[in-house]
Amino acid sequence: MRTLRIRSFTLLCLFFIVFMPWLFFVAAHFMETKTFSFEESKLQNEIQQRQLSEMIRLIEINADKWRDLQWQNRLHDQLRQAKMDVAILSASNQEIYRSDPERSGGSTERFSVIEDGHVVGKIIIYMPRSNAFQMMAALGGLLLAFFVVGFEMRRFLLKPLEKMSVAVKQMAAGDWDVKLPVSRITEIAKVRDGFEMLEDALQKSHQKQVELEEERRFVIAAVAHDLRTPLFALRGYLDGLEQGIAQSPEKIAKYVAVCKEKSAQLDRLVEDLFTFTKVTYLEENHNKQSADLKLVLLKAIDSLSPLASQKHMTISIHTADDCIISGDPHLLERAMNNLLDNAVRHAPCYGKITVQSFKDGNNAIFSIHDTGPGFSSEDLQRVFEPLYRGEQSRNRATGGSGLGLTISQRIVRQHGGELTAHNHSEGGALLTGWIPLMA
């Protein structure tokens, strides 16, 4: 839809206001004279001026005949031919003669007749009503122009603004299903587009807030449940130690080992929960600096090497040099640590983990492949959901918190990249991702 700027609309309105009276004046002139030419009007004005001079001269030189009925009749005939009227008054303003008793207004010429230094009388000559019809028509055109301009200004300016005001109030009340008015004025259309963008942004923000609130409630409920189980077990074994149930050194050592295992599980769950909260709800004011993806992966592998050695697993790494990325090295190491931890926990004993990284255009690509059972179809759809755990690890046998992959994906996304989960063609889980290289 073509739009019109307010400046152009205003100029059109002003032109219309000026043009309409002129159009009506010309139309009235044509209706009266049957021609569009104004030269005849000019000639007619010259004739009227000449007739007026003759009439004044006639009245002045016949001051002694003002009361003569025959002279008055001849004067009346000449006035009719000239389309004029006259009123003759005495020096004391008494009426001597009036050609048309009903005429008292319009364009007039007034003068006094003086003889021998004395005022003999006063003359009022009423001019022909030559332009009265045209001027009335012009006035009518002006009024019509103001009416049309006012109506169009209300239709194009005021009504859209009024509807927009109502729509904004509805949006402020939480009603997102509002229809903003369409306008042919460019500035109002831009304001409408801006409000539409604002509405979409507010709606998305509101939806995100609702989703975050639901996620927060879910996380609190799930973490409370996950904390209760190890705490209950830890309390039970500590009570057993306190009450002397474990009397032999072997049993005491077993109770202490279980307590250490449960406390380590609690520590891991709290750490995962803290990191999840940090990357989800806090502002993304990370410690941005240059980081070598190869070093980040090597540090993560070193931290998981003891656990991999316990399961007699081998970790092979094939990484390219100079994969320099911009981000928080601590968070990136945490993301890679979670991915490797997931691979170590789910791969079988004597399994193998392959870590790769390389450049691809402006991105650094990384992948982690393990020889475990891989992901089920449901896992592939929900593996990055907070606190989601596949059926095989739902009982915490592998020690997972259900937050590791979620944390890793959100850290990678906050660094401008993406993380996805697949099953390798040769079997096992495959986690691949990319992060933009530092410019």
Side-chain angles (χ1 to χ4, degrees):
M1 181 180 66
R2 294 179 61 87
T3 58
L4 193 66
R5 299 187 68 87
I6 290 182
R7 180 175 58 186
S8 302
F9 179 76
T10 304
L11 291 176
L12 285 175
C13 291
L14 291 175
F15 174 77
F16 187 77
I17 291 175
V18 173
F19 176 75
M20 283 299 291
W22 172 251
L23 179 64
F24 274 56
F25 182 86
V26 172
H29 176 75
F30 177 78
M31 292 173 62
E32 191 172 56
T33 63
K34 305 303 180 183
T35 179
F36 289 109
S37 175
F38 288 90
E39 293 296 329
E40 294 185 4
S41 297
K42 184 178 180 180
L43 180 61
Q44 185 178 4
N45 290 333
E46 293 177 355
I47 295 174
Q48 287 181 358
Q49 290 297 325
R50 187 169 61 253
Q51 291 176 342
L52 176 62
S53 300
E54 294 176 354
M55 198 64 63
I56 293 174
R57 183 173 176 277
L58 177 64
I59 295 174
E60 285 181 340
I61 63 177
N62 293 289
D64 56 339
K65 298 180 180 179
W66 286 354
R67 298 180 186 277
D68 187 352
L69 291 179
Q70 293 182 355
W71 182 83
Q72 290 180 357
N73 290 333
R74 291 196 302 272
L75 177 64
H76 183 79
D77 293 337
Q78 293 181 12
L79 290 172
R80 293 283 77 80
Q81 293 178 2
K83 297 181 180 180
M84 298 180 183
D85 287 297
V86 69
I88 302 176
L89 306 177
S90 65
S92 59
N93 291 328
Q94 293 182 353
E95 186 176 291
I96 299 175
Y97 171 74
R98 182 180 293 273
S99 61
D100 187 358
E102 296 181 358
R103 187 167 182 179
S104 60
S107 178
T108 61
E109 291 286 341
R110 299 172 180 265
F111 63 94
S112 299
V113 178
I114 302 175
E115 291 184 356
D116 299 329
H118 299 283
V119 176
V120 177
K122 300 177 181 178
I123 311 300
I124 303 175
I125 298 179
Y126 298 91
M127 302 299 294
R129 300 172 181 175
S130 57
N131 294 328
F133 180 66
Q134 290 92 325
M135 296 304 297
M136 290 297 295
L139 180 61
L142 181 63
L143 295 177
L144 178 63
F146 275 115
F147 175 78
V148 173
V149 168
F151 178 80
E152 294 300 318
M153 288 186 67
R154 174 170 176 76
R155 185 163 72 98
F156 286 106
L157 292 175
L158 299 182
K159 290 188 72 174
L161 291 176
E162 291 174 356
K163 292 181 179 179
M164 199 172 296
S165 175
V166 174
V168 171
K169 291 180 180 179
Q170 291 179 348
M171 290 167 55
D175 182 10
W176 305 107
D177 189 17
V178 295
K179 186 177 181 181
L180 294 172
V182 179
S183 177
R184 297 183 66 89
I185 302 299
T186 303
E187 287 79 2
I188 297 180
K190 289 181 178 180
V191 173
R192 176 185 181 276
D193 295 339
F195 273 118
E196 280 189 341
M197 294 175 63
L198 176 63
E199 179 188 3
D200 293 339
L202 289 175
Q203 193 168 1
K204 291 178 181 178
S205 176
H206 178 72
Q207 183 64 30
K208 185 177 180 180
Q209 184 178 1
V210 171
E211 292 175 356
L212 286 175
E213 182 65 21
E214 291 295 328
E215 186 177 280
R216 183 184 66 84
R217 293 178 181 177
F218 172 75
V219 169
I220 291 175
V223 170
H225 177 270
D226 290 343
L227 286 172
R228 184 174 58 181
T229 302
L231 283 174
F232 181 79
L234 185 61
R235 180 178 178 182
Y237 280 98
L238 289 175
D239 287 343
L241 290 172
E242 182 183 20
Q243 295 171 10
I245 296 176
Q247 297 178 353
S248 63
E250 294 81 5
K251 203 168 187 179
I252 292 175
K254 180 182 178 182
Y255 274 40
V256 172
V258 172
C259 289
K260 290 177 65 177
E261 179 187 353
K262 296 302 179 183
S263 63
Q265 187 175 346
L266 286 173
D267 181 70
R268 178 183 177 84
L269 183 59
V270 171
E271 179 67 19
D272 285 347
L273 181 61
F274 174 75
T275 306
F276 174 77
T277 304
K278 182 179 179 181
V279 301
T280 303
Y281 298 104
L282 299 183
E283 294 183 1
E284 301 176 10
N285 296 328
H286 303 317
N287 182 22
K288 291 286 183 74
Q289 53 183 291
S290 62
D292 192 339
L293 182 60
K294 180 178 180 179
L295 295 179
V296 172
L297 289 170
L298 288 175
K299 288 182 179 180
I301 291 173
D302 289 341
S303 64
L304 268 297
S305 294
L307 182 59
S309 298
Q310 292 178 7
K311 299 179 68 173
H312 307 285
M313 299 175 61
T314 59
I315 301 177
S316 61
I317 181 169
H318 307 280
T319 59
D321 295 327
D322 297 330
C323 286
I324 307 301
I325 57 180
S326 175
D328 189 330
H330 175 72
L331 285 179
L332 290 171
E333 184 180 342
R334 182 59 189 272
M336 301 305 167
N337 189 79
N338 288 346
L339 299 180
L340 287 168
D341 179 72
N342 183 78
V344 171
R345 285 188 292 105
H346 290 88
C349 293
Y350 300 96
K352 182 180 180 181
I353 298 175
T354 304
V355 180
Q356 293 182 331
S357 69
F358 56 92
K359 293 182 180 179
D360 184 13
N362 296 325
N363 299 322
I365 312 297
F366 63 89
S367 65
I368 299 175
H369 170 224
D370 64 68
T371 55
F375 297 107
S376 66
S377 58
E378 183 181 2
D379 290 342
L380 290 175
Q381 296 177 359
R382 304 182 57 191
V383 68
F384 293 111
E385 290 183 9
L387 298 172
Y388 173 76
R389 298 182 296 274
E391 293 294 335
Q392 295 181 359
S393 63
R394 193 174 298 278
N395 58 2
R396 298 277 184 205
T398 58
S401 65
L403 290 172
L405 294 182
T406 304
I407 292 172
S408 295
Q409 187 187 54
R410 296 194 178 184
I411 291 175
V412 171
R413 285 181 174 177
Q414 287 180 0
H415 285 77
E418 186 55 270
L419 178 66
T420 57
H422 311 276
N423 284 322
H424 199 275
S425 59
E426 297 178 359
L430 176 64
L431 292 166
T432 60
W434 61 271
I435 298 176
L437 292 169
M438 175 176 280

